[in-house]
C-alpha cells in the first residue's frame, strides 16, 4: 500500500524526485518536501493562507500538544484537524512520543506505554501505542506516525538497544490497532538506533518488514553533531525500500536538508525557520544572520538581495531591525514569512537540480554560499 511514486533520480547522488498523493492535497505533493511545523494547529506567526501561498501543501501537527489542548475529542467533533484549523492542504501528525520522552522527570516508560504529567497543569496521562493511534485517528491527519521511544543523545548501546527494541514491539501494536479501525490514514513506522550502526541497520530492517506505507528515520536532531545525524541516515537508507517515502524527522537546517536529500531522503520537518524567526534570525542565500546586530541599523536594502519573497521586495533590513528593537509583533511575522519562503525556494531548487541531474554540483555550490563546509565529501554523495 503506497501513495508514493518515484518520478526521477540523480545519477551522481542518491537524490530522487517523487509524488506523494494524499486525500487532502488537491495536487500530488512534489518531493523532496519540507513540512512547516504547526504544533498547536498553527504555523506560528502565519495564517493558513500565507502558508499555502508560499507553496506548502503539507504541514505537521503535534499529537501530544493537541491532545492536551484543545483535546482530540473536541477536534473530532469539529470535523477533524483540517476543518478545525481551516487548512485546505494535507497534514501529518507525529505520535507524541518525542514530546513525552523529552519530559524526563515528568514521565515513566514501561512496556505498556508512557505515563506522563502535563507540562501545563501537572495532570496525569498515559499514552500506549494504541492510545497514540486513537488520538491521531481523532485528529484525522493524512499521515500518522507510530508511537516510538526516542533515546536521548548520548545514550549507551544498552539504553539505545532497549528503546529500539521497544519501538519495534510498539510498532506491531500500532499496526494491529490501526488495521482494526479500518482507517484510510497512512501509518508510517519509525526506525531508531541512535548513533550505533548495528542498531540502525537492525531497526531499519525491522520497520521495513512491517510494510508500512512510509518509513521515518527518528532519533536524530536530539543534540548529536551533524556528522552523526548523516551517519544515522547512511546506515539506515540501504535497508529502507526505495518505493517507500523516506521521512527524516526533525531535520533541519538548509545544510542538513541538502545533504540528506543526497542520501535519498524525501520528507523533512523542523521548527527552525519559525522558531528562529521569532528571535530575529533570518535564513538567507549567504547563510544565517541575526537582524538585531548594529550593522543593520542603516542598511536600507533587503535582508537578502537574492530573495524574491514579499518581505525582501518591500522591507529594508534597517526597518526589520527597528521592529525587533521595539518588540513589535510584525517583526516575528515578517521574519517567519521570509524564512519559510527561503525553505520553499530551497526545496524547489533541490527538485530542479535533481531533474537537471547536477545535484552534487548544486549541493557543493549551495553549501559554499551558506558558508559551511560539506560534512560529506562530494564523491561520497553518490
Amino acid at each position: 500500500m503506497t501513495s508514493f511514486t518515484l518520478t526521477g533520480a540523480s545519477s551522481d547522488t542518491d537524490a530522487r524526485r517523487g509524488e506523494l498523493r494524499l486525500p487532502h492535497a488537491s495536487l500530488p505533493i512534489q518531493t523532496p518536501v519540507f513540512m512547516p511545523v504547526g504544533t498547536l494547529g498553527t504555523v506560528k506567526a502565519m495564517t493558513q493562507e500565507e502558508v499555502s501561498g508560499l507553496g506548502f501543501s503539507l504541514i505537521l501537527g503535534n499529537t501530544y500538544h493537541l491532545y492536551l489542548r484543545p483535546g482530540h475529542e473536541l477536534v473530532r467533533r469539529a470535523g477533524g484537524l483540517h476543518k478545525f484549523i481551516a487548512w485546505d492542504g494535507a497534514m501529518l501528525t507525529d505520535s507524541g512520543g518525542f514530546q513525552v520522552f523529552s519530559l524526563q522527570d515528568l514521565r515513566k516508560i514501561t512496556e505498556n506505554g508512557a505515563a506522563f504529567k502535563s507540562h501545563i497543569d501537572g495532570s496525569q496521562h498515559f499514552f500506549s501505542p494504541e492510545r497514540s493511534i486513537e488520538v491521531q485517528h481523532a485528529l484525522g491527519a493524512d499521515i500518522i506516525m507510530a508511537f516510538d521511544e526516542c533515546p536521548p543523545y548520548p545514550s549507551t548501546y544498552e539504553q539505545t538497544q532497549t528503546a529500539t527494541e521497544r519501538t519495534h514491539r510498539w510498532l506491531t501494536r500500532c499496526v494491529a490497532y490501526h488495521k482494526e479501525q479500518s482507517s484510510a490514514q497512512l501509518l508510517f513506522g519509525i526506525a531508531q538506533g541512535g548513533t550505533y550502526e548495528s542498531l540502525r541497520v537492525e531497526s531499519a530492517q525491522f520497520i521495513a518488514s512491517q510494510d508500512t506505507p512510509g518509513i521515518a528515520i527518528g532519533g536524530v536532531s536530539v543534540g548529536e553533531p551533524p556528522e552523526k545525524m548523516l551517519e544515522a541516515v547512511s546506515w539506515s537508507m540501504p535497508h529502507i525500500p526505495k518505493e517507500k517515502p523516506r521521512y527524516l524527522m526533525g531535520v533541519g537546517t538548509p545544510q542538513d536538508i541538502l545533504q540528506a536529500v543526497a542520501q535519498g531522503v524525501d520528507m523533512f520537518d523542523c521548527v527552525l525557520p519559525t522558531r528562529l524567526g521569532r528571535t530575529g534570525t533570518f535564513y538567507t542565500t549567504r547563510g544565517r544572520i541575526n537582524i538585531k546586530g548594529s550593522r543593520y541599523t542603516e542598511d536600507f536594502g533587503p535582508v537578502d538581495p537574492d530573495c524574491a519573497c514579499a518581505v525582501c521586495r518591500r522591507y529594508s533590513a534597517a526597518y526589520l531591525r527597528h521592529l525587533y528593537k521595539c518588540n513589535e509583533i510584525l517583526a516575528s511575522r515578517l521574519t517567519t514569512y521570509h524564512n519559510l519562503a527561503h525553505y520553499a525556494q530551497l526545496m524547489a531548487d533541490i527538485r530542479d537540480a535533481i531533474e537537471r541531474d547536477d545535484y552534487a554540483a548544486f549541493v557543493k555550490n549551495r553549501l559554499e554560499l551558506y558558508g559551511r563546509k560539506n560534512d560529506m565529501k562530494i564523491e561520497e554523495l553518490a
Side-chain angles (χ1 to χ4, degrees), residues 2 19 37 65 86 98 105 121 129 150 159 166 168 176 183 185 212 215-216 238 253 263 313 326 363 375:
T2 180
E19 291 184 343
V37 176
H65 287 284
F98 178 80
D105 295 337
D121 59 12
C150 178
Q159 291 170 330
R166 182 177 286 133
H168 298 168
S183 171
Q185 295 164 291
T212 56
I215 296 176
T253 68
Q263 298 196 63
R313 290 200 310 268
C326 296
V363 173
D375 289 321

Side-chain angles (χ1 to χ4, degrees), residues 75-321:
V75 173
R76 188 203 298 273
R77 292 194 297 273
L81 195 55
H82 297 84
K83 288 187 178 180
F84 183 63
I85 72 170
W87 172 246
D88 295 329
M91 295 194 72
L92 178 151
T93 46
D94 60 16
S95 68
F98 178 80
Q99 285 70 34
V100 168
F101 300 123
S102 67
L103 294 172
Q104 297 178 343
D105 295 337
L106 296 178
R107 49 80 171 162
K108 180 179 180 181
I109 303 168
T110 66
E111 186 62 26
N112 288 331
F116 62 96
K117 291 183 180 179
S118 165
H119 71 284
I120 300 169
D121 59 12
S123 56
Q124 293 279 355
H125 302 271
F126 182 78
F127 265 17
S128 64
E130 295 81 3
R131 180 61 163 167
S132 172
I133 301 302
E134 177 190 354
V135 171
Q136 292 183 79
H137 283 171
L139 296 175
D142 301 76
I143 298 173
I144 63 177
M145 303 303 299
F147 195 57
D148 64 326
E149 182 175 352
C150 178
Y153 177 83
S155 291
T156 66
Y157 182 92
E158 290 72 21
Q159 291 170 330
T160 306
Q161 182 180 38
T162 297
T164 300
E165 292 178 350
R166 182 177 286 133
T167 290
H168 298 168
R169 293 191 294 274
W170 283 357
L171 174 60
T172 61
R173 290 168 58 182
C174 288
V175 169
Y177 181 84
H178 182 61
K179 287 181 178 179
E180 287 174 1
Q181 309 309 309
S182 300
S183 171
Q185 295 164 291
L186 300 181
L187 171 64
F188 281 23
I190 304 174
Q192 290 288 347
T195 55
Y196 301 97
E197 181 175 7
S198 62
L199 293 179
R200 280 289 173 186
V201 170
E202 175 189 339
S203 189
Q205 290 176 339
F206 180 87
I207 303 302
S209 74
Q210 300 303 295
D211 198 28
T212 56
I215 296 176
I217 298 173
V220 295
S221 289
V222 291
E224 79 283 358
E227 60 270 19
K228 291 292 186 183
M229 180 272 290
L230 292 170
E231 283 183 345
V233 175
S234 68
W235 295 330
S236 306
M237 204 59 70
H239 308 283
I240 299 176
K242 291 184 177 180
E243 69 274 14
K244 301 288 181 73
R246 301 153 164 179
Y247 169 27
L248 185 57
M249 304 184 74
V251 174
T253 68
Q255 296 94 324
D256 292 338
I257 290 172
L258 285 163
Q259 294 175 101
V261 166
Q263 298 196 63
V265 176
D266 306 298
M267 301 170 63
F268 302 87
D269 80 277
C270 192
V271 298
L272 284 178
T274 50
R275 178 175 292 171
L276 291 182
R278 299 193 297 277
T279 68
T281 298
F282 282 78
Y283 281 101
T284 78
T285 52
R286 296 298 186 273
R288 228 167 73 173
I289 67 168
N290 194 297
I291 199 67
K292 297 177 184 178
S294 60
R295 60 181 291 192
Y296 301 107
T297 303
E298 295 193 34
D299 184 344
F300 303 121
V303 167
D304 186 352
D306 296 322
C307 178
C309 83
V311 173
C312 289
R313 290 200 310 268
R314 186 179 186 103
Y315 301 104
S316 71
Y319 177 62
L320 292 165
R321 180 179 185 273

